[in-house]
């Protein structure tokens, strides 16, 4: 049995519908408890999914910031060298 992947947009839409229901003047107390519970479940799922995505983004940023800031020794710029080791373009 395969599980359906989390549908962020669908869960957010359902949570918005629950919120709109509570904002209506026809809110029923007993039904409200059921809807409140479902809303809390959705909010927890959305929060968890957002945290997972945020962690992935941080890992990607770290991976590229490390590789972008570390230069192989053959690619060291002259500005990164002490003045005594810098090659002179025009030896006079």
């Amino acid at each position: 049995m395969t599980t359906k992947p989390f549908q962020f947009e669908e869960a957010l839409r359902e949570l918005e519908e629950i919120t709109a229901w509570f904002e209506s003047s026809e809110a029923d107390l007993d039904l409200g408890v059921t809807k409140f519970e479902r809303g809390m479940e959705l909010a927890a799922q959305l929060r968890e999914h957002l945290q997972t995505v945020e962690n992935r983004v941080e890992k990607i940023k770290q991976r590229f910031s490390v590789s972008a800031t570390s230069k192989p020794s053959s690619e060291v710029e002259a500005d990164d060298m002490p003045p005594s080791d810098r090659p002179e373009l025009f030896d006079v």
Side-chain angles (χ1 to χ4, degrees):
M1 179 179 149
T2 60
T3 58
K4 182 179 168 186
F6 182 71
Q7 299 293 318
F8 183 86
E9 294 81 9
E10 186 177 313
L12 185 59
R13 180 191 47 75
E14 185 180 350
L15 185 58
E16 289 171 343
E17 288 174 1
I18 291 170
T19 302
W21 183 86
F22 274 105
E23 292 172 348
S24 76
S25 61
E26 302 173 23
D28 172 76
L29 184 59
D30 293 327
L31 184 55
V33 171
T34 302
K35 287 189 174 283
F36 179 74
E37 182 177 19
R38 177 63 180 149
M40 293 301 289
E41 290 171 359
L42 288 167
Q45 291 172 354
L46 289 163
R47 191 177 310 112
E48 182 180 331
H49 186 73
L50 286 171
Q51 185 63 51
T52 300
V53 170
E54 185 177 321
N55 290 342
R56 284 183 63 200
V57 168
E58 281 303 313
K59 286 179 183 177
I60 292 168
K61 285 170 54 177
Q62 287 175 359
R63 186 176 68 200
F64 284 98
S65 69
V66 169
S67 64
T69 58
S70 62
K71 296 178 185 176
S73 59
S74 62
E75 293 183 16
V76 174
E77 299 285 337
D79 293 338
D80 296 339
M81 296 180 188
S84 60
D85 294 339
R86 290 184 189 160
E88 296 297 324
L89 292 176
F90 302 101
D91 287 343
V92 190

